[in-house]
Structures are given as structure tokens and as C-alpha cells.
Amino acid sequence: MDFFMHSLFLIMITLVISIFVLNRKNLDGTKTLPQGSFGWPIVNETYQFLFKKIDHFLQEKQKKHSSDIFKTKLLGEPTVVLYGPSANKFISTNEPKHVKVWYLRTQRMLFNLPDHDQPRAKNSAVVAAAPVKILGFLKPEGLFRYMGCNIESIMHQHFMRNWEGKTELKVYPLVKNFALSLAYQFYLGIDDPLHVAKFISKFDDLYSGIYAVPANFPGTTFHRAMKAASKIREEIQLLINKKIDYLSKGIVMNDLLAHLVGAVEDGKYVPKIEISNIIMGLMNSSYTSIAITLAFMIKHIGLDPHIYQKIVSEHADITKSKGAGAALDWDSIQKMKYTWCVTQETMRLYPTAPGAFREAVTDITFEGFTIPKGWKIFWAMMGTNKNSKYFDEAESFDPSRFEENGPVPYSYIPFGAGARSCPGKDYTRFVILTFIHNLVTKFSWQVMHPHEQVLGSLVPLPANGIPIRIRHL
């Protein structure tokens, strides 16, 4: 027993010394790593990152190191965490020269992605052409061409089915259903409420698996995500076969899937597996983020009479200018300036994308520290969102901070920045503002639980779904 305890003690001492040395050493005599810690062996600081609230994790590190840059180890990878306006500008303007996209192991497994953002060798020109098709769909002219009438129809059905005749309801489950219904129509060309309802839980599982521990055995979050990804991919590939059959018969379809199926580059079609992964990724990213933003936005509009009245007035003017019953156009969307301020304030306090990973392609010097080649970078885009240095009374909900000149440049980037900023920004804006327009012109509401708990470490979720009382106008 004494020998065992002595050996265990020596092992522990060796581990502690190793961690201390690894955390303190410089790369050589002139290059200095950022301050920070790699945490404990094996687990590193992964637990704090995945299971603490991300803003609390960043605040603790900033307070400890008095810096917006620190080193850590996440999921076994030596990582430097960067945030703040200078970091946001540096990353967004130095890609791909100094940094390149790096995907988490969970992302690679769920979406069949390579380690880095590069097309597979086979049919690479064809695969690379697919994003061009997607970008055309997601621009304002594409949205109104392929989605304008559909969104009005889906919106009408949504409110008739889920809001009309009700006095109380929970917002979050309903806006999730709406956001996925719209994604199914726009991306897949499917308008079937029962089909959508069957897949909501699968998309929830898929989303939860991205920032999970990649342990793929029964009972784990990641295992559920892998099963969900397999089912969704299988469903999309069945639809691809149907689209191919329809296209061969000359049937015209206006959904994104049909256009990707029909995309030809150098006489070759985009492989089915690539199409299914692209579509699944787009639906996953747009569905949950829109639902979360809408849910918390509706809550805060209902909590503040001043905000509510300003929005009602703005949308009354828009209805008057376009004519009652007329569909919204992009000009109408651009007139919703205050509503967009409310949207941005919601995204500031309830960010749905905590950040993104990059990899240093060369030794990088940033603010006097060296980020070694091959190290991973967690670009914490939401790291400034609740920082009083950039936002007065940062914890309060105040849409006026986005009026006139708005925040300090690069201090608020909910859609990223630079060449790789989110291509779905216009889609998100169009969907959210259109939903709010229809809501405020049909209903008024009262939030039943103003202090409802917000769950989630990396992505905020309302604990009780945001119950409200509604009244038809």
C-alpha cells in the first residue's frame, strides 16, 4: 500500500510539474505564448468551455489575465482564444493568408467535412461551384424570387393553425416549427406540416451535437446527433432522387435542392452526398438561430411598452405605404429600421453563434504574443457583446444603441466579418422582420414569466418556452 501511494504521489507531482512547465515555457527565447492554462491532462479546459456559459468563461479569463487573448486546450487541441474589436478585425482580414477554417471533430463527423475548408479532390470543381448557386439564392433578389410568395403562405398557415383562437401559448416551440417549415419549403420544396413535425427533434439533436463531447455510444448527446444526421441525410438523398426524376421530365422547381441537383460544371453534377451535406448544414444553421432570435425578441417587445409602440407605429406606416394585404418587398424590409435595431439587440444579448474555429497557417504575432503554426484559434465573436467597454449598461435591453452610428466598428459581428461572413444574413433578416410584421399587425401580447430562466452554455434557450397571453387585434 505504501509503495502504491508513493507511486501515485510521484505521478501526480510529475503531472503538476509538466502542466506548469508547459503553461509557462516560451517557444524560444524571443517568442512568447499568450497567458493561460492547458488545464488538467485529458480533459484540458474542455469542460469549462462546453458546460459553463461561454460569456462567463470569457469574463473569468479576461479578469484573470487582463487580456482579450489567452491560451487553453480544447478537445485535445492547443488553442488560443481571441476576442475584441482588434481580434475581430485581425481574423476577418487575414484569411486565408494567416488563418484558415478548422472544423471540430463533431462537425467533421456530423457533416462529413474535411479537416479544413477545402473541397474533396473528386469532382472538386463541381463541388466548389455549389456555393455560387447558394449565394445567388440567399441574396435579396433570390429570396424574393424563390421565397416571396411562399413565405406569405407559410406565415398565414402558421398563424391560422397556431395563434388564431388561442389566449395563451408558448412562443419558442411555435417559432421553431415556423422556422423549420420555412427552411423545408425554401431549401427542399416541401410544404407538409406533418413531415416537418417529424424532423424537429432530429434537427434539435443535430444542433446539440456540434458542441458536444465526440463520444459516439448510446446515451450520449453526440450519439443522438449522429443518428439524427444519418436520418436527415437519408431523407435528403431520397428527395434528391425525386428531384432528378422530376427534372428528367421537364418539371420546373424553385427550391434550392432542385437547383443544386441540376447544377452542372464541366459536364458533371454535384455528388449527392455533397448536396445532402450542404443542405443539411444550411438548414441546421438557419433554423435554430432564427427560432431563438424570434423567441427572445418577442419576449422583449412584450416586456417594454415603449419598444412595442415604436414597432407597431413603424409597421403601421409600412402597411399604409404598401397597401393592406399587399406582400412585403425588399423596400418594405429596408424601412423596418427600428425593428432591425431590436433584432440586433436581441442577437447581442442572445447570440446563437458563440464563435468559430480557425487554424494558424504560419506563426502569427498578435498583441505581442505568438500563436504557433498549427495551433487552433477560437474566434469568440460574441466576446464583446456584454462588455461594458463597448456597450453601456451591457446587460440591459436597449435597441437605441443600434440607431444612428451604432457600436464601435468590429465590436459587434453577429454574422462574422470579412470574406467568410455569414451568407445567410439577408435570409435571417428577411424571415425575422417578415414574421414580426405579421405578428404585430395581428396580435398584441403579454409575457407571462418576465424573469424566465435562460438555459444553455453555448447557445441560449428559454427554460419554459416563453409563455405569453395573446389578444387578436
Side-chain angles (χ1 to χ4, degrees), residues 5 17 52 88 144 147 156-158 174 196 229 262 302 382 396 398 428:
M5 293 300 294
I17 292 172
K52 273 190 173 183
N88 292 339
F144 279 91
M147 191 174 157
H156 176 74
Q157 293 174 32
H158 171 80
L174 293 185
V196 172
M382 50 72 67
S396 67
D398 180 12
T428 300

Side-chain angles (χ1 to χ4, degrees), residues 130-189:
V132 178
K133 283 272 185 182
I134 294 167
L135 289 174
F137 255 71
L138 296 176
K139 289 178 180 178
E141 55 269 26
L143 292 173
F144 279 91
R145 178 179 178 185
Y146 298 111
M147 191 174 157
C149 295
N150 288 335
I151 193 171
E152 293 289 338
S153 172
I154 291 170
M155 198 86 64
H156 176 74
Q157 293 174 32
H158 171 80
F159 282 111
M160 284 292 293
R161 237 184 343 252
N162 302 298
W163 295 67
E164 297 283 354
K166 304 286 197 310
T167 56
E168 294 183 3
L169 52 82
K170 289 187 176 182
V171 172
Y172 184 54
L174 293 185
V175 292
K176 277 206 309 180
N177 184 284
F178 163 74
L180 190 57
S181 297
L182 191 62
Y184 259 83
Q185 176 70 60
F186 182 59
Y187 293 119
L188 303 178

Side-chain angles (χ1 to χ4, degrees), residues 265-277:
E265 186 76 15
D266 296 331
K268 298 178 181 178
Y269 291 94
V270 181
K272 294 180 186 179
I273 187 66
E274 299 289 352
I275 293 175
S276 60
N277 287 328

Side-chain angles (χ1 to χ4, degrees), residues 333-403:
I333 296 296
Q334 290 179 309
K335 290 178 181 177
M336 300 180 191
K337 298 185 184 301
Y338 183 72
T339 311
W340 184 237
C341 290
V342 177
T343 308
Q344 292 186 89
E345 180 69 342
T346 305
M347 292 188 292
R348 183 185 71 83
L349 286 176
Y350 307 96
T352 58
F357 280 91
R358 298 289 186 265
E359 181 180 309
V361 299
T362 184
D363 284 357
I364 297 171
T365 300
F366 180 74
E367 295 192 352
F369 296 108
T370 296
I371 303 172
K373 179 181 178 180
W375 275 40
K376 306 307 179 279
I377 297 169
F378 180 66
W379 179 18
M381 290 178 274
M382 50 72 67
T384 53
N385 285 17
K386 296 181 182 179
N387 191 322
S388 57
K389 188 190 302 184
Y390 309 108
F391 297 99
D392 293 335
E393 298 183 16
E395 295 287 342
S396 67
F397 191 90
D398 180 12
S400 68
R401 68 176 89 244
F402 288 96
E403 294 179 311

Side-chain angles (χ1 to χ4, degrees), residues 12-30:
M12 291 178 67
I13 289 294
T14 303
L15 286 172
V16 170
I17 292 172
S18 299
I19 294 166
F20 179 81
V21 171
L22 191 58
N23 284 336
R24 290 284 182 175
K25 74 174 183 178
N26 290 343
L27 299 177
D28 55 31
T30 60

Side-chain angles (χ1 to χ4, degrees), residues 160-332:
M160 284 292 293
R161 237 184 343 252
N162 302 298
W163 295 67
E164 297 283 354
K166 304 286 197 310
T167 56
E168 294 183 3
L169 52 82
K170 289 187 176 182
V171 172
Y172 184 54
L174 293 185
V175 292
K176 277 206 309 180
N177 184 284
F178 163 74
L180 190 57
S181 297
L182 191 62
Y184 259 83
Q185 176 70 60
F186 182 59
Y187 293 119
L188 303 178
I190 292 178
D191 183 13
D192 181 358
L194 295 178
H195 191 101
V196 172
K198 187 172 71 172
F199 275 84
I200 279 185
S201 63
K202 292 178 176 58
F203 274 97
D204 286 345
D205 288 343
L206 175 64
Y207 196 83
S208 298
I210 293 174
Y211 287 107
V213 175
N216 190 16
F217 54 84
T220 64
T221 298
F222 187 66
H223 183 70
R224 288 193 296 273
M226 287 293 288
K227 287 180 66 178
S230 178
K231 288 289 185 183
I232 295 168
R233 190 177 292 108
E234 179 183 314
E235 180 71 12
I236 294 174
Q237 292 197 24
L238 286 173
L239 289 170
I240 289 172
N241 291 333
K242 289 183 179 179
K243 302 289 182 185
I244 292 172
D245 182 51
Y246 292 155
L247 288 170
S248 70
K249 296 174 180 177
I251 299 173
V252 177
M253 294 167 286
N254 284 329
D255 56 272
L256 180 56
L257 180 59
H259 281 257
L260 286 179
V261 168
V264 179
E265 186 76 15
D266 296 331
K268 298 178 181 178
Y269 291 94
V270 181
K272 294 180 186 179
I273 187 66
E274 299 289 352
I275 293 175
S276 60
N277 287 328
I278 290 169
I279 292 290
M280 187 167 68
L282 285 169
M283 293 180 70
N284 174 71
S285 60
S286 62
Y287 149 63
T288 307
S289 59
I290 286 174
I292 291 172
T293 302
L294 270 175
F296 284 110
M297 187 176 175
I298 290 167
K299 175 182 177 179
H300 281 280
I301 294 171
L303 286 175
D304 192 317
H306 172 71
I307 293 174
Y308 175 77
Q309 287 301 328
K310 285 193 72 172
I311 284 185
V312 167
S313 176
E314 181 171 80
H315 287 268
D317 289 343
I318 290 167
T319 299
K320 185 177 179 180
S321 65
K322 72 179 179 65
L328 294 169
D329 54 20
W330 191 245
D331 182 57
S332 299

